[in-house]
Amino acid sequence: LLASNIIGIVVISILVLILTRFFGRRNILGPINVLVHAARHIGQGDFSVRVDIDHQASELGELAQNINAMTEDLIRWESEHERADRELKESEARIRALFNATTDSALLIDTDGSFLALNYVAAQRRGQGVEELIGKCLYDYLPAEAAQTRKAWVEEVIKAGKSVAFEEERDDRIYRLRLFPILDHDGKVVQLASFSRDITEMKKAESRLKYQAFHDELTGLANRAYLMDCLRRTISQALTEKCYDYALAFFDLDNFKLVNDSFGHVLGDNLLQLLSQRLTAGISPETVLARFGGDEFALLFTHAADNHTILKELDTIHQLIDAPFTVGLYEIRTSASIGVVFGRLDYTSPDQLIRDADIAMYQAKKIRTGGTIVFDRRMHEIIIKRLNLESKLRQAVSQGELSLVYQPIFSLPDLTMAGFEALVRWLHPDKGYIPPSVFIPVAEETGLIVPIGDFVLKEACKQMSQWLTRYPQAQHLVMNVNLSGKQFFQADPVEVVRKSLNEAQLRSKNLKVEITETTIMENVDLAVSIFNTLRELGIKIALDDFGTGYSSLGYLRSFPLDSIKIDRSFVVQLDQNEKDYEIVTLIVKLAHALGMDVTAEGIETDNIIDKIIKCECDYVQGYLLAQPMNAHHAEGMIRGYPIP
């Protein structure tokens, strides 16, 4: 029985073992083999495998789920990695394209100067390919001096850890370089990026622009801007060092306008160019010669030991200018009026120096042609007075402070009254009587002579009309009115005269306009045209101050004139100077031959009037016979004086 039981137990055990092994293979080893198979594929990079095991609640089932989740994560990671890798490659391609597309030389070096990377421009400058240069030393491709300079800048960047920018010249080219440090995570410079741009052409363009900004286009001399800059630096240095051994001279060419008008602006420009060349060659290299504008030039002396030296140099300037110029087919002579101001410690701005040099030049032109005048403080005071006078004169025109006086003109030989010359006077409410010799030049220079001349013409016509209305026996009297150059050419003299006659209701035969020789010569053709129109209106025309200007027979014959007025400078010594008597006699005969009558001005003695009568002059006026008088006294003369 026992043996039977043991045999039964053994059989049962064998059966259990067989069953256990069978079910173990099925429930454990099978899933494990599946997991091993999946792991092998995953290890080989196949993330598409999935583990499918029954008994999901068992440990093996949970492991299978984790493996499946892991493969999903690996798939996502791989996808993201591929995208990042693709984006990185695209970014590198763009950077590489930009690196090579720039016209700058771009390179990456280590701290010893060895090439780590560089673009095509950098390689081309060194005459080799990009790959050939990698690992070689930058300094071996630079001239010795440039290599030392570049090493110094590299060391500066490594030491400071900051970028630098500088310019470098080599091989007749100019480069602008920038060095940038590349730091590791500890902040240590491990590499340097270098960008180099060829700025040679830009520098040339800058030089051209600078030259144009500070030089005159026509003459090549320094211009106003350059002179102002020099003056500022000179004044600053003088104030700092408490010295003033410098001077500024201004000059312009006398009668340059006549050259332009006679020969044209092209020839005038050529004259300025020749003058500039001559002066540049003849003055000290330290002297700044500038064209200030038009025919006006400036000289800045900063090297002279004393004023005498500067004045000697200005004498040289005069000699250079006075020598004849050959311009095209013409030989032209000119001169210059120079004003000079010497430096003082109270000069603090260029404008002050320019002002005073200009004042001195103005005085030089006033006093004599081709001279030099040194500025002094009194000149400034004179200018201030002149400006005040100009201001008061403007007020006088608008506030009715001007009035007319009338100087009688007499016929020869019986001295009957022939008419009047209207003359303007100024009675200032505070300053009293201001002579015409004082305010007329100011009026001419400022243009105020135009409104003043219009006033004189209108008032004279109005007064003559009133007299002729009151005194029928005076119908042959003529009112003489002077027309200034500005009135004659800048305004419309014909219209002004016509309007004045119409407003006064005066007949044209009772008006005679007087024009100086100098005025006519400003524009002969236009003057003749205006004269013809005035004569068509019936207005008489007199040439005033004859003998002081051109006095050319050819010009005199071409002008449609009625009268000549001999300047008083030929008359005042007629009884003492036989030459003056002969000149006056010839003028009278010439005028009569051309169908003109003659008036002699400045009659002050009985002897002179006797001489004038012998010359067969037609009319006279002067203080001997009658001084200029107001309208009331003139009317008294009309009433009591014989009129032909």
Side-chain angles (χ1 to χ4, degrees), residues 603-617:
I603 307 299
E604 296 180 358
T605 67
D606 290 328
N607 290 337
I608 290 176
I609 200 168
D610 290 340
K611 287 280 189 179
I612 285 293
I613 291 173
K614 289 181 180 179
C615 292
E616 298 183 354
C617 199

Side-chain angles (χ1 to χ4, degrees), residues 14-258:
I14 291 171
L15 289 172
V16 169
L17 180 61
I18 292 171
L19 290 172
T20 300
R21 191 171 183 183
F22 172 79
F23 286 108
R25 285 178 179 274
R26 179 181 178 187
N27 294 326
I28 296 175
L29 294 178
I32 288 175
N33 288 332
V34 172
L35 291 173
V36 170
H37 175 78
R40 186 179 298 114
H41 279 270
I42 292 171
Q44 293 173 353
D46 181 7
F47 302 137
S48 63
V49 66
R50 294 291 182 273
V51 181
D52 186 11
I53 300 177
D54 293 334
H55 313 292
Q56 296 293 325
S58 67
E59 287 83 353
L60 292 176
E62 184 177 349
L63 177 59
Q65 290 176 0
N66 289 337
I67 288 175
N68 289 335
M70 181 186 68
T71 56
E72 293 291 339
D73 289 340
L74 287 172
I75 289 172
R76 283 193 298 272
W77 177 86
E78 185 180 45
S79 175
E80 291 174 359
H81 177 73
E82 288 176 351
R83 184 177 67 252
D85 187 57
R86 185 172 60 253
E87 290 176 353
L88 178 61
K89 289 179 179 179
E90 291 174 354
S91 177
E92 288 177 348
R94 286 194 295 270
I95 292 172
R96 193 177 299 108
L98 289 172
F99 193 58
N100 287 308
T102 178
T103 57
D104 291 356
S105 168
L107 51 89
L108 189 67
I109 59 173
D110 62 18
T111 55
D112 293 327
S114 296
F115 293 116
L116 301 176
L118 64 164
N119 67 355
Y120 296 145
V121 176
Q124 188 179 29
R125 283 190 189 172
R126 290 156 181 83
Q128 290 184 261
V130 171
E131 297 302 326
E132 294 178 84
L133 289 166
I134 299 299
K136 294 183 178 178
C137 186
L138 164 67
Y139 308 128
D140 294 338
Y141 293 87
L142 295 173
E145 186 176 348
Q148 291 299 320
T149 302
R150 187 73 64 88
K151 282 182 181 179
W153 283 115
V154 168
E155 290 172 2
E156 177 70 21
V157 173
I158 294 172
K159 180 181 178 181
K162 296 180 180 179
S163 62
V164 296
F166 57 96
E167 290 183 5
E168 186 176 82
E169 291 187 38
R170 64 178 187 274
D171 303 326
D172 296 325
R173 308 296 292 178
I174 304 173
Y175 300 94
R176 179 174 294 156
L177 289 96
R178 292 168 294 165
L179 291 175
F180 297 90
I182 299 174
L183 313 178
D184 62 11
H185 63 279
D186 294 326
K188 181 182 177 181
V189 177
V190 292
Q191 296 175 351
L192 296 94
S194 172
F195 296 90
S196 171
R197 176 172 296 179
D198 188 335
I199 59 171
T200 307
E201 298 308 318
M202 185 181 73
K203 284 289 187 180
K204 289 179 180 178
E206 287 177 357
S207 297
R208 286 193 297 269
L209 288 173
K210 186 175 181 180
Y211 182 87
Q212 292 168 0
F214 288 105
H215 288 80
D216 175 58
E217 184 178 358
L218 176 66
T219 63
L221 298 177
N223 61 8
R224 182 190 183 107
Y226 184 81
L227 178 69
M228 295 292 282
D229 184 62
C230 289
L231 282 173
R232 277 189 287 269
R233 286 187 277 110
T234 300
I235 293 170
S236 176
Q237 182 179 356
L239 293 175
T240 301
E241 299 177 2
K242 303 299 181 185
C243 65
Y244 44 93
D245 53 347
Y246 68 93
L248 177 66
F250 261 33
F251 70 88
D252 63 8
L253 299 182
D254 300 318
N255 299 320
F256 181 71
K257 184 178 183 300
L258 183 61

Side-chain angles (χ1 to χ4, degrees), residues 448-584:
L448 286 172
I449 195 67
V450 175
I452 291 174
D454 292 349
F455 164 77
V456 172
L457 182 61
K458 290 179 181 179
E459 286 297 309
C461 289
K462 180 180 176 182
Q463 185 60 72
M464 178 57 77
S465 180
Q466 292 175 357
W467 287 337
L468 297 182
T469 301
R470 293 172 189 166
Y471 306 102
Q473 74 275 18
Q475 298 305 307
H476 298 291
L477 291 180
V478 174
M479 180 66 75
N480 287 35
V481 179
N482 291 279
L483 294 183
S484 71
K486 286 186 171 62
Q487 241 184 320
F488 197 66
F489 289 121
Q490 295 184 11
D492 184 350
V494 175
E495 182 57 32
V496 172
V497 170
R498 183 188 287 113
K499 185 177 180 181
S500 298
L501 288 173
N502 291 339
E503 288 179 357
Q505 295 184 343
L506 180 67
R507 292 173 298 180
S508 58
K509 72 173 187 176
N510 297 109
L511 176 65
K512 180 184 289 186
V513 295
E514 298 183 7
I515 312 290
T516 64
E517 282 185 88
T518 306
T519 297
I520 292 173
M521 296 309 298
E522 289 182 16
N523 192 327
V524 173
D525 293 337
L526 181 56
V528 170
S529 175
I530 294 172
F531 286 162
N532 285 328
T533 306
L534 289 173
R535 293 193 79 185
E536 288 173 4
L537 295 176
I539 297 163
K540 297 180 176 64
I541 302 170
L543 186 63
D544 195 15
D545 297 339
F546 186 80
T548 60
Y550 296 88
S551 305
S552 166
L553 176 60
Y555 282 128
L556 194 61
R557 185 175 57 181
S558 63
F559 293 140
L561 301 171
D562 298 285
S563 304
I564 289 176
K565 296 190 75 172
I566 301 175
D567 187 73
R568 67 186 310 275
S569 61
F570 291 97
V571 176
V572 292
Q573 294 185 342
L574 200 64
D575 56 339
Q576 302 174 22
N577 191 326
E578 188 63 28
K579 287 186 178 179
D580 283 350
Y581 174 76
E582 292 175 358
I583 290 172
V584 171

Side-chain angles (χ1 to χ4, degrees), residues 341 344 347 351-360 375 380:
V341 56
R344 299 195 308 264
Y347 283 122
D351 291 337
Q352 294 171 326
L353 279 163
I354 290 171
R355 175 200 65 198
D356 291 348
D358 198 43
I359 289 173
F375 174 82
H380 189 225

